[in-house]
Amino acid sequence: MKVQTVFLVSKTLRIDFQTPYFRFFLALNGVELPTFLTSLNRPFEKFVKHLNQLTFAKNFGTYYSNKQALTKKDQPMKTTTFLTFVGDLCGKAKEAMEFYISLFPNSEIKSITHYAPGEGGGTPELVKYGVFTLNGTEYRVSESNYDHKWSFSPGVSLFVDSPSEQEIETLFEKLVANDGMVMVPLDNYETGDYGFGKKFGWVQDKYGISWQVNLED
């Protein structure tokens, strides 16, 4: 969400801003201005829901530059990492999500759906579909008790960049703890076989997920 213009007319604040799908013009008095400005930092869906809960509804007008909202078929295609826990890891999805959101700021479990009784692929205590975010980036998970012949592989990993050496070191230590495995020690690889940078490491965590962590210049 991008704020384009903010200007004060008498005691009324007028704000013109846009999202990927809408352009809004709002005029409101200053009574609940702090609450409104706080809502600007929320995800779009929560922001709209929040507007509906405010009591200054009569003091603002909302106008759309486009006549109709984009339907789902008009929205741009996007990709999301999907983690499927099978075999010995089946039953660990919720635990893994809780672990991962503890490692990054601005992270949360957004939703968990369990299997229905008798449903193929899992039992009611297993996660059929889950959504979580790591520092604002969305990930999806599932777990299945089918006898799958595959699981996670180091060939696919999550790559983390950070300008903070302390953050990189702390993250690496937490990921390798409790039966994690170091695949490339955290060290300086500006030259040599890897050439990623002055601080880089590759680790597989206790759930079998591989992570590459890199210190940005």
Side-chain angles (χ1 to χ4, degrees):
M1 189 182 300
K2 179 181 178 181
V3 176
Q4 291 185 310
T5 56
V6 178
F7 54 96
L8 190 63
V9 179
S10 184
K11 294 184 179 180
T12 300
L13 179 72
R14 299 190 178 194
I15 300 177
D16 180 20
F17 66 98
Q18 69 178 12
T19 73
Y21 307 121
F22 299 103
R23 182 186 180 94
F24 292 89
F25 175 83
L26 296 99
L28 57 151
N29 61 27
V31 176
E32 294 182 275
L33 177 58
T35 303
F36 174 75
L37 292 179
T38 299
S39 72
L40 286 178
N41 291 323
R42 302 184 180 192
F44 177 63
E45 294 82 0
K46 293 183 179 180
F47 165 68
V48 172
K49 181 179 179 181
H50 185 59
L51 278 183
N52 294 332
Q53 296 173 348
L54 299 180
T55 59
F56 60 66
K58 294 182 180 180
N59 296 317
F60 75 90
T62 303
Y63 306 90
Y64 300 106
S65 61
N66 52 330
K67 299 298 183 181
Q68 183 177 5
L70 291 178
T71 62
K72 285 187 177 180
K73 68 177 182 179
D74 297 317
Q75 296 178 16
M77 182 169 57
K78 67 177 183 179
T79 62
T80 304
T81 300
F82 197 113
L83 307 174
T84 304
F85 293 75
V86 298
D88 293 340
L89 295 171
C90 182
K92 299 288 187 180
K94 185 173 185 292
E95 179 184 309
M97 285 191 287
E98 291 172 342
F99 173 62
Y100 296 145
I101 66 172
S102 73
L103 302 177
F104 296 87
N106 188 30
S107 303
E108 63 175 338
I109 296 176
K110 298 182 69 174
S111 66
I112 293 179
T113 301
H114 294 277
Y115 288 93
E119 185 175 8
T123 52
E125 71 271 12
L126 296 179
V127 175
K128 179 181 179 181
Y129 183 69
V131 180
F132 69 103
T133 61
L134 298 181
N135 204 12
T137 300
E138 186 175 283
Y139 296 82
R140 304 181 187 188
V141 303
S142 183
E143 50 193 1
S144 171
N145 60 12
Y146 283 135
D147 184 21
H148 295 286
K149 304 304 180 183
W150 45 264
S151 188
F152 299 122
S153 164
V156 178
S157 59
L158 305 182
F159 198 99
V160 181
D161 280 311
S162 174
S164 168
E165 186 169 1
Q166 181 61 52
E167 281 186 348
I168 289 297
E169 292 176 350
T170 299
L171 178 61
F172 191 88
E173 290 172 0
K174 289 182 177 180
L175 288 171
V176 77
N178 300 317
D179 298 323
M181 180 175 64
V182 175
M183 292 186 287
V184 176
L186 190 63
D187 207 339
N188 186 324
Y189 297 102
E190 286 186 296
T191 60
D193 295 334
Y194 295 99
F196 283 106
K198 58 185 178 182
K199 199 95 176 190
F200 171 83
W202 198 329
V203 61
Q204 185 180 82
D205 67 30
K206 58 185 176 181
Y207 303 107
I209 305 296
S210 297
W211 301 75
Q212 299 183 61
V213 298
N214 184 59
L215 179 63
E216 290 181 313
D217 291 332

